[in-house]
Amino acid sequence: LHHFPFYLTCSAVLFLTAFLTWLAVRWKWRSLYAIYLIFIAGLFPVLGTTPFIFQHISTVADRYVYVSMLAPAIAMAWFLNHSQKKWQALSAMALILVLMIRSHTQVPIWENNLSLFTHSLKHNPNSWLAANNLGTTYEHLKDYEMAFALYKRAAELSNIASAWNNYGAVAVKKHDYQTAIDAFSRALSASNHAHWAHANLATAYAYSGKKQKARENYKRALEIFPGFSFAEKNLRILEKNLPLSELRIQRSSQEDG
């Protein structure tokens, strides 16, 4: 649907509405028309008429249709209530059984983050969000090699600051400080107001022995966000010549694009 022309989508909806209106008037299938309106009413709030945060990631998601699925359930009940022949009822029961089996086969995919995001990335290799979330899962499992590769993939696909930040953070854990410097610099290229990226770049510089550049970037982070306690704490550690192991990396909580 992402590449499907918008005007064709609208035309299809309008055609279906007109056709069902004709059926409702011509054949008095008012119940079927009401069921259709219930389906549309459930979808309407997430069709993009009112913007919401997840639209930045995707305009479609299976959960958008949860409320609207009341309509097919009513339609099935209506059909069974009006079926005159035994085979019609048996066909409906067979369809329900098939859907039950299909639901059961989907359960393992949703068992945990590892199975879910592996499945998502398999079916959509260009999904930076699936790569990023799978990277987070491997990072929590302390498999930094997999996390490193997946974060890099997510960053290259999206080129958003938070993705480069994750890539740089794992590079620091791997003691690959030059890669971390490059990653945090890419984060700043994507979003030059990302104060946390300046602070993380400073930390990477500190670990690599470039303390003057570290100071400059901590101070730049504080210029952008005065009172940024994370940068203040790391700068104090640097100024007091405390062990660099006390320095921390800030993980961004949202995208800065």
Side-chain angles (χ1 to χ4, degrees):
L1 288 179
H2 180 71
H3 300 289
F4 199 70
F6 179 71
Y7 72 91
L8 288 180
T9 303
C10 292
S11 299
V13 172
L14 290 173
F15 174 79
L16 183 58
T17 302
F19 177 69
L20 290 175
T21 302
W22 177 79
L23 287 178
V25 174
R26 178 70 177 80
W27 299 100
K28 302 187 186 302
W29 285 8
R30 294 185 179 86
S31 297
L32 188 61
Y33 190 64
I35 290 168
Y36 171 71
L37 291 179
I38 291 172
F39 186 81
I40 294 298
L43 278 180
F44 190 77
V46 291
L47 289 179
T49 52
T50 301
F52 51 96
I53 294 175
F54 192 71
Q55 281 184 316
H56 184 71
I57 308 299
S58 175
T59 56
V60 294
D62 58 354
R63 60 182 174 275
Y64 293 173
V65 82
Y66 285 170
V67 174
S68 293
M69 288 305 293
L70 176 64
I74 295 173
M76 180 62 75
W78 179 86
F79 175 77
L80 290 173
N81 186 55
H82 289 78
S83 59
Q84 302 294 323
K85 298 179 181 179
K86 187 175 181 180
W87 69 266
Q88 293 175 331
L90 291 174
S91 298
M93 293 173 64
L95 176 60
I96 292 173
L97 180 61
V98 168
L99 293 176
M100 288 174 60
I101 294 172
R102 179 57 179 159
S103 296
H104 180 73
T105 60
Q106 287 288 99
V107 170
I109 295 173
W110 294 84
E111 183 177 356
N112 52 50
N113 285 345
L114 185 61
S115 58
L116 175 60
F117 295 121
T118 298
H119 174 83
S120 298
L121 197 58
K122 177 182 177 181
H123 289 272
N124 185 5
N126 293 322
S127 172
W128 74 266
L129 185 61
N132 184 78
N133 291 348
L134 187 56
T136 300
T137 302
Y138 276 111
E139 185 179 359
H140 289 163
L141 294 172
K142 300 189 183 305
D143 187 340
Y144 298 129
E145 290 298 330
M146 282 295 296
F148 187 70
L150 287 161
Y151 281 145
K152 181 180 181 181
R153 181 174 177 179
E156 291 174 342
L157 285 170
S158 66
N159 195 35
I160 65 171
S162 59
W164 285 112
N165 189 66
N166 287 339
Y167 178 48
V170 175
V172 169
K173 289 183 177 181
K174 287 166 51 65
H175 307 291
D176 187 351
Y177 302 126
Q178 186 55 53
T179 297
I181 289 170
D182 293 341
F184 295 134
S185 297
R186 293 289 295 271
L188 287 169
S189 296
S191 178
N192 58 15
H193 64 277
H195 53 280
W196 40 265
H198 274 290
N200 288 343
L201 179 58
T203 301
Y205 275 131
Y207 277 131
S208 62
K210 301 174 182 178
K211 292 188 177 182
Q212 184 55 38
K213 286 192 173 183
R215 291 187 185 92
E216 292 172 0
N217 278 277
Y218 282 135
K219 291 176 180 178
R220 178 57 182 151
L222 289 168
E223 288 175 5
I224 298 172
F225 185 14
F228 183 29
S229 59
F230 178 85
E232 290 176 340
K233 182 178 178 180
N234 277 4
L235 183 57
R236 281 196 301 270
I237 291 170
L238 193 65
E239 297 290 12
K240 292 181 179 181
N241 291 316
L242 296 175
L244 295 182
S245 58
E246 295 186 22
L247 295 175
R248 294 292 180 266
I249 293 293
Q250 173 76 32
R251 304 305 283 264
S252 58
S253 58
Q254 59 184 8
E255 297 156 27
D256 290 79

